[in-house]
Amino acid sequence: MNTVVRHILVYAGGILSGVALTLLIIKVMEKSDGNQPEKMTFEKPKEIVKTDTVEKVVYKKPQKVEKENATFLDTLENVELDTLNNLEDTLQDININREVLVAVKNFTVQTFSRDTSQSNALRDSLGKSMGINSDKNLSSIRVEFWKSPLNFEGYILGKSMVRLYGINEVEPLKFYLVDNKIYMKKASKYYTLIRSEEYHKFELSKENIHDKILQISGNG
């Protein structure tokens, strides 16, 4: 056989072998691809946030509203009643705690003095300063009988009168002006009265006024 022909046959056989091998490889690969399971991909579900866009409307029942209004009115009424009651109690307390004028009387004041040199005008002036009013030879004093809610027993000797507390208006009293001092005789006791706008309790005289009057009058 010619050498050239031999080389052509060998070359052609190699080409054919390479083509056949290539086809075989491709077929095997396709088969492998057909048997390989498909990969499954899972996507993580997105969170779905639901919002309630429906507004809730609450309606009050008419009966409940009426009841609340009625309760409120009742409360106001009770408050007003309590206020009126308290005001009434306060007014009653004021009336109870208020001093009460029971009676008014005029009493003759008997005047005795050791100093005979004093003029009538001076004696009248001193007498008026102690609430004594002089009319010719007579002197008198206005006496008011008062009742105190505190049961106070005493007096206030003013410019034109004397207020007595804790003494009954029917009780016999006598008043004396001795040496320019005024005394009140109650029963058999003498009380010194001091000219003042303030309250004073009754104080027994430290002097023996009865003997002093007798001495001045010349009967002692």
Side-chain angles (χ1 to χ4, degrees):
M1 181 179 292
N2 190 350
T3 304
V4 177
V5 176
R6 184 184 298 173
H7 283 295
I8 292 173
L9 291 175
V10 172
Y11 181 74
I15 290 173
L16 292 174
S17 298
V19 172
L21 181 60
T22 300
L23 293 174
L24 180 60
I25 291 172
I26 291 172
K27 188 175 181 179
V28 170
M29 289 179 63
E30 289 178 356
K31 187 176 181 180
S32 299
D33 293 338
N35 294 331
Q36 185 177 0
E38 296 182 357
K39 293 183 178 180
M40 299 180 65
T41 57
F42 298 93
E43 294 184 359
K44 185 178 181 182
K46 296 181 180 181
E47 294 183 357
I48 299 175
V49 179
K50 294 183 178 180
T51 56
D52 188 3
T53 58
V54 179
E55 296 182 358
K56 294 182 178 180
V57 181
V58 179
Y59 295 96
K60 293 183 179 180
K61 295 181 179 180
Q63 293 181 353
K64 186 176 182 181
V65 174
E66 291 178 358
K67 185 176 181 180
E68 290 179 354
N69 291 337
T71 304
F72 179 69
L73 293 176
D74 292 340
T75 304
L76 286 179
E77 186 177 355
N78 292 333
V79 170
E80 291 178 356
L81 288 175
D82 293 340
T83 303
L84 291 175
N85 291 334
N86 293 334
L87 180 59
E88 185 178 356
D89 294 340
T90 303
L91 292 176
Q92 289 179 356
D93 292 339
I94 291 174
N95 292 333
I96 292 174
N97 294 329
R98 188 173 56 187
E99 295 178 349
V100 179
L101 177 61
V102 179
V104 178
K105 291 184 178 181
N106 289 325
F107 287 82
T108 301
V109 179
Q110 300 182 40
T111 304
F112 300 91
S113 177
R114 295 178 187 273
D115 189 359
T116 58
S117 63
Q118 289 183 348
S119 64
N120 291 333
L122 180 59
R123 286 197 298 270
D124 291 344
S125 176
L126 292 173
K128 288 180 180 179
S129 68
M130 290 180 284
I132 299 173
N133 297 318
S134 296
D135 183 12
K136 295 181 179 181
N137 295 328
L138 297 177
S139 298
S140 65
I141 187 171
R142 173 188 170 92
V143 180
E144 297 179 355
F145 296 87
W146 288 78
K147 183 178 181 181
S148 171
L150 301 177
N151 295 325
F152 171 71
E153 293 185 358
Y155 67 95
I156 298 178
L157 181 59
K159 291 183 179 180
S160 59
M161 56 83 191
V162 59
R163 287 186 175 188
L164 300 180
Y165 294 87
I167 294 181
N168 197 307
E169 69 274 12
V170 299
E171 192 168 353
L173 300 174
K174 289 185 178 182
F175 291 88
Y176 299 90
L177 182 62
V178 182
D179 289 340
N180 299 323
K181 292 181 181 179
I182 187 168
Y183 300 90
M184 181 185 71
K185 183 181 179 182
K186 176 186 172 188
S188 60
K189 297 180 180 180
Y190 290 85
Y191 299 88
T192 304
L193 302 182
I194 301 173
R195 170 75 172 84
S196 175
E197 298 293 337
E198 298 179 355
Y199 294 89
H200 288 276
K201 291 184 178 181
F202 295 116
E203 292 185 4
L204 288 172
S205 175
K206 297 179 181 180
E207 302 177 87
N208 192 332
I209 302 301
H210 180 70
D211 292 344
K212 194 172 184 179
I213 290 174
L214 292 177
Q215 291 175 4
I216 293 174
S217 62
N219 297 325

